[in-house]
Amino acid sequence: ANATVSTLIVDQRSSLGKALYKAYRENRLSCALTRALHISEPVPSVLAYVVSTENAPRDPVHDLTTCCLEIKACAERLGSDRATFWLIFDGALTNEKAPVNPLAAAIWTFSRTLANEFPHLDVRRIDVVSTSPESLVATQIREILLSDTNETELQIDGSMVRAVRADTLRVVLD
């Protein structure tokens, strides 16, 4: 039962969720790890959902639809309770070390719409550059989840964590 769990980690297919769970437990912090979308009462104050796009897409449209519907179902299971819903991605944003994962980028975009559709949830995103060591990433994610940051979009690149900012696009006419 999640009666005293403050953070619930949902990770259906990757190993990052297990590493994050271990990072929490090393500091004797309250958390639970699940591979299924079972959320019991009371709802945890923080939900960390690891978006897994590790396997090469069989059918990109099917994979995108399936993942987005899983995330939406998770948000629906939270009901009307207020919670911080962190979505953790691998390779959704541009960086200098690894190519962008188009499936992760599309799901990231969907998560922005999800935030509008579920205004009672504080939907936030973390992108991990795939070359970052998993144990370091897990510790950094734990610290982000425990912090009082107002940032809603972050990227972890090795030992660096940065806020994601939109750049102004300027059109230059000749």
Side-chain angles (χ1 to χ4, degrees), residues 66-133:
T66 300
C67 192
C68 290
L69 289 175
E70 287 171 356
I71 292 169
K72 181 178 181 252
C74 196
E76 289 170 339
R77 286 193 176 100
L78 291 169
S80 61
D81 292 339
R82 294 196 174 276
T84 303
F85 187 15
W86 284 97
L87 296 161
I88 303 165
F89 297 83
D90 182 4
L93 303 175
T94 60
N95 64 79
E96 296 177 3
K97 297 180 182 168
V100 171
N101 176 330
L103 179 58
I107 298 165
W108 178 285
T109 303
F110 165 79
S111 71
R112 289 178 171 164
T113 301
L114 183 83
N116 292 329
E117 296 297 322
F118 292 87
H120 64 285
L121 296 178
D122 185 6
V123 179
R124 297 172 179 226
R125 290 155 287 285
I126 299 172
D127 181 51
V128 177
V129 175
S130 23
T131 58
S132 303

Side-chain angles (χ1 to χ4, degrees), residues 15-82:
S15 59
L16 181 56
K18 190 172 184 178
L20 180 56
Y21 175 79
K22 182 178 177 185
Y24 263 81
R25 299 308 299 156
E26 285 173 350
N27 286 291
R28 299 174 192 216
L29 297 168
S30 171
C31 77
L33 172 64
T34 181
R35 297 235 178 252
L37 296 178
H38 299 295
I39 301 172
S40 61
E41 295 291 331
V43 169
S45 58
V46 176
L47 179 74
Y49 186 100
V50 179
V51 177
S52 180
T53 58
E54 291 176 347
N55 300 328
R58 299 173 309 275
D59 174 1
V61 173
H62 175 266
D63 292 346
L64 174 62
T65 303
T66 300
C67 192
C68 290
L69 289 175
E70 287 171 356
I71 292 169
K72 181 178 181 252
C74 196
E76 289 170 339
R77 286 193 176 100
L78 291 169
S80 61
D81 292 339
R82 294 196 174 276

